[in-house]
Amino acid sequence: MPNVTFLVKPASSLCDMACRYCFYADVAASRTRRSMGLMDRATAEALIRSGLDYAGPDGAVHFLFQGGEPTLAGLDFFRDLAAMADKAAAGGAHVTYAIQTNGLAIDGEWAAFFRERRFLVGLSVDGTRTIHDRFRRDASGGGTWDRAVRALETLDAAGAETNLLTVVTGPVAAAPSAVYRSLRKLGDHPLQFIPCLDPLEADRGGLPWSLTPAAYGGFLKGLFDSWYRELESGVYVSVRLFDDVLRLLAGMPPSSCAAAGVCGGYLAAEADGGLYPCDFYVLDPWRLGDIHTMSVAAALASPVMERFLAEGARRPGACGACRYYPLCRGGCRRDRTDGPAGPENYWCASMRAFFDYTLPRFRAAARALFS
């Protein structure tokens, strides 16, 4: 079944927060144009039309909205886009929606819309109040924990589907048990933990929020212990990385391109209609073309995409002899650097330590869950 996923930035790099570690602010600052503004109706319509043309009547089109902060495009933008998609896809391809938000704009009207249109809402919450407010600040420099939690309560009350996304900074990594307990107190939500990225041209590990390989490995082990204790008591909590390990152990494909170790799972679409091969590479040299003049098929087959995929397919040399390669697949391209012997993955030692510590229990969990 043909399908296409667009990671859409309807408000480009615009945001009503000033998170100190924001990787997209760094990406945007590295481009000729920092912000592409707000997406207009014609561009949204072009995305819908091109996606449906590629998917055909039996396929699927997935819209994942990110930023910046995507809600800055306004609720009417999303209502209009969903209505256009309904009309264009009538009796044909399946269309799904997801959005990642900081939650500041979420009120009852937003929450009701997300429930009605079956949006999966990923809310950014960095573990504990103290850690969250240290780095996730509003434009005035104030903490945002209380507003994020209120947004979650509003979404839950409306019956919207939600998950929680936590950026693993150094301070988060130092408190895996406290972070897990804090997130679990917010309710039963799938959890996703995203390793913090240092700026593109910076030496890694030198910023107050930086995450080192040793710290990340320790975090994953501590997080696993908390998760496994609940599993032993009969409670399964979805943690995306752990879900993917279990799926791989059971012979199923993982849910993310990072876990698969393969690039090309989606197209990133900026507010002006520019297409890029990856959210981490929405940069001038990697611009594939424009959705107004380029089809999805042409973007996927473009020379820039071919070069991107070829570079992403280069595996770290350590992968060849690694017993954990079937579970790691070399990781995300953004985490690879060129070393003396070729590509190296920044988190290689982290993942080896993690699997050394957890694999027997992962195997037991996979047998229990999938037998």
Side-chain angles (χ1 to χ4, degrees):
M1 181 179 73
N3 68 84
V4 60
T5 297
F6 291 115
L7 199 158
V8 186
K9 296 185 175 294
S12 192
S13 61
L14 302 174
C15 192
D16 48 1
M17 285 177 57
C19 301
R20 299 188 67 191
Y21 54 63
C22 180
F23 89 87
Y24 203 68
D26 174 54
V27 168
S30 301
R31 303 186 302 217
T32 303
R33 288 180 62 194
R34 181 184 291 265
S35 173
M36 314 302 179
L38 298 177
M39 182 173 287
D40 59 25
R41 192 178 194 275
T43 303
E45 188 174 18
L47 280 172
I48 294 166
R49 183 180 64 252
S50 297
L52 291 173
D53 285 348
Y54 181 81
D58 299 321
V61 182
H62 309 289
F63 292 104
L64 283 63
F65 299 98
Q66 292 189 343
E69 172 49 42
T71 60
L72 293 181
L75 182 52
D76 286 344
F77 168 85
F78 290 97
R79 285 175 169 154
D80 193 31
L81 183 145
M84 286 192 292
D86 282 350
K87 183 177 180 180
H94 182 57
V95 180
T96 68
Y97 306 99
I99 187 169
Q100 183 174 341
T101 177
N102 60 35
L104 296 195
I106 303 303
D107 58 14
E109 194 174 11
W110 275 100
F113 169 78
F114 289 145
R115 175 190 52 76
E116 176 189 353
R117 300 313 307 238
R118 299 183 179 179
F119 271 61
L120 170 61
V121 184
L123 182 70
S124 294
V125 183
D126 277 2
T128 69
R129 177 193 297 273
T130 300
I131 298 171
H132 180 104
D133 283 348
R134 180 178 176 185
F135 297 123
R136 296 192 62 80
R137 300 176 181 174
D138 62 22
S140 300
T144 59
W145 171 268
D146 287 337
R147 280 175 284 177
V149 171
R150 281 199 300 271
L152 181 62
E153 292 169 347
T154 302
L155 291 163
D156 287 347
E161 184 181 1
T162 57
N163 61 22
L164 303 181
L165 300 104
T166 297
V167 176
V168 185
T169 57
V172 167
S177 298
V179 164
Y180 186 81
R181 287 195 305 270
S182 177
L183 294 174
R184 294 289 289 132
K185 286 179 181 178
L186 297 177
D188 292 325
H189 306 95
L191 307 178
Q192 184 175 348
F193 296 92
I194 306 165
C196 185
L197 293 171
D198 285 326
L200 285 165
E201 302 301 326
D203 292 333
R204 302 187 85 156
L207 297 167
W209 52 86
S210 291
L211 180 66
T212 65
Y216 187 44
F219 170 78
L220 291 178
K221 290 189 284 185
L223 180 70
F224 180 89
D225 284 340
S226 295
W227 173 84
Y228 197 75
R229 279 193 292 271
E230 284 210 272
L231 183 64
E232 287 184 308
S233 70
V235 178
Y236 184 87
V237 179
S238 173
V239 175
R240 190 177 191 188
L241 173 60
F242 300 172
D243 294 345
D244 280 336
V245 173
L246 291 168
R247 289 177 64 86
L248 288 164
L249 287 171
M252 296 185 291
S255 66
S256 70
C257 49
V262 176
C263 298
Y266 61 84
L267 291 172
E270 254 289 1
D272 64 346
L275 298 175
Y276 302 81
C278 175
D279 187 33
F280 294 137
Y281 293 90
V282 184
L283 298 162
D284 296 340
W286 294 112
R287 193 174 188 276
L288 306 174
D290 189 299
I291 196 64
H292 295 285
T293 58
M294 173 178 272
S295 68
V296 169
L300 294 175
S302 67
V304 175
M305 178 63 93
E306 289 181 358
R307 179 163 57 90
F308 185 82
L309 296 179
E311 291 187 14
R314 296 174 62 226
R315 291 290 183 272
C319 291
C322 182
R323 60 190 289 245
Y324 299 130
Y325 177 76
L327 299 178
C328 173
R329 310 289 182 90
C332 175
R333 168 201 169 109
R334 178 63 168 81
D335 296 323
R336 299 176 196 162
T337 58
D338 285 325
E344 299 174 353
N345 190 300
Y346 189 65
W347 305 121
C348 183
S350 311
M351 300 309 295
R352 285 175 181 267
F354 172 58
F355 287 125
D356 282 343
Y357 185 73
T358 62
L359 189 54
R361 286 178 287 172
F362 263 129
R363 292 192 188 281
R367 286 194 297 269
L369 292 167
F370 296 110
S371 60

